Amino acid sequence: MRLSAARTARVTTPAAVGLGLLALAARVPSMWAVLITAGVGVVGLLAPVNAPSTPRPLRPTSAANWLTAVALGLIAMLIAARLPGLLGMAPHGAGRIVVRAAPAAIAASVAAAVAEEAFFRRLVYGWLASSWGVAVAICGSAVAFAAIHVPVYGFAVLPIDTAAGLLLGWQRWMTGGWSASGLTHVAANLIAEGVIP
């Protein structure tokens, strides 16, 4: 008996999501972390995702939607990067570790952003949207995204990374794909690395 693609996806996609989340949560800052993240990104690109049972509401995807989503995402990330300083707080996440990054660290940061978006906004979002709808997909992928950063950066990153995940999930919904959230995530990582002031 041959299994259909949809039936195969019902088993392999949740398994890929679970194993990917475990691998990302177990990373520690090292070259292995970059390889693990890249591997999870490849899984995010290759794992099957069923189409949502209900089509995306509102309007069809357009260049204007994509550009609007990217512009709002970049503005939000620039504001978020400056907010701790304006409030007299210490920086969070990578901002407290790196002032100016070496080229290898920058390349790793860009690769990590693209890999995480392939995993969270293509695979996790796609799986949740096809099973439980867009609202669960946006919120679920955001919470998972924030949670995998806790082992490296601590619980203090949960609010900002959850907010970032919600923004990236909204971009995924708004554009119908993960390229806008990928570009925004790359920019956010470059801001954190000190490349974009």
Side-chain angles (χ1 to χ4, degrees):
M1 176 168 110
R2 188 177 159 137
L3 293 176
S4 70
R7 257 184 115 156
T8 302
R10 271 182 264 169
V11 174
T12 58
T13 302
V17 168
L19 291 173
L21 290 173
L22 286 173
L24 291 172
R27 340 172 255 192
V28 293
S30 69
M31 182 49 78
W32 289 110
V34 175
L35 295 174
I36 290 168
T37 305
V40 169
V42 169
V43 169
L45 286 173
L46 298 179
V49 177
N50 289 331
S53 55
T54 57
R56 189 178 151 275
L58 279 182
R59 55 201 163 286
T61 301
S62 67
N65 285 359
W66 192 89
L67 290 171
T68 300
V70 169
L72 292 174
L74 295 176
I75 290 167
M77 292 301 178
L78 287 168
I79 291 169
R82 284 152 181 76
L83 198 55
L86 295 173
L87 299 175
M89 299 165 49
H92 83 283
R96 67 186 168 145
I97 297 171
V98 178
V99 175
R100 288 277 180 205
I106 294 167
S109 186
V110 168
V114 172
E116 286 181 0
E117 288 310 303
F119 182 74
F120 286 105
R121 256 45 80 183
R122 183 195 172 272
L123 181 60
V124 176
Y125 178 103
W127 172 57
L128 293 173
S130 69
S131 301
W132 294 285
V134 171
V136 171
I138 292 172
C139 295
S141 63
V143 169
F145 173 76
I148 63 101
H149 289 93
V150 169
V152 174
Y153 302 116
F155 284 101
V157 300
L158 275 176
I160 192 75
D161 283 356
T162 300
L166 290 169
L167 170 71
L168 297 168
W170 169 80
Q171 287 180 307
R172 166 67 170 87
W173 170 80
M174 179 74 170
T175 64
W178 63 274
S179 62
S181 63
L183 181 60
T184 302
H185 193 158
V186 166
N189 282 10
L190 294 177
I191 291 167
E193 297 286 356
V195 176
I196 298 174

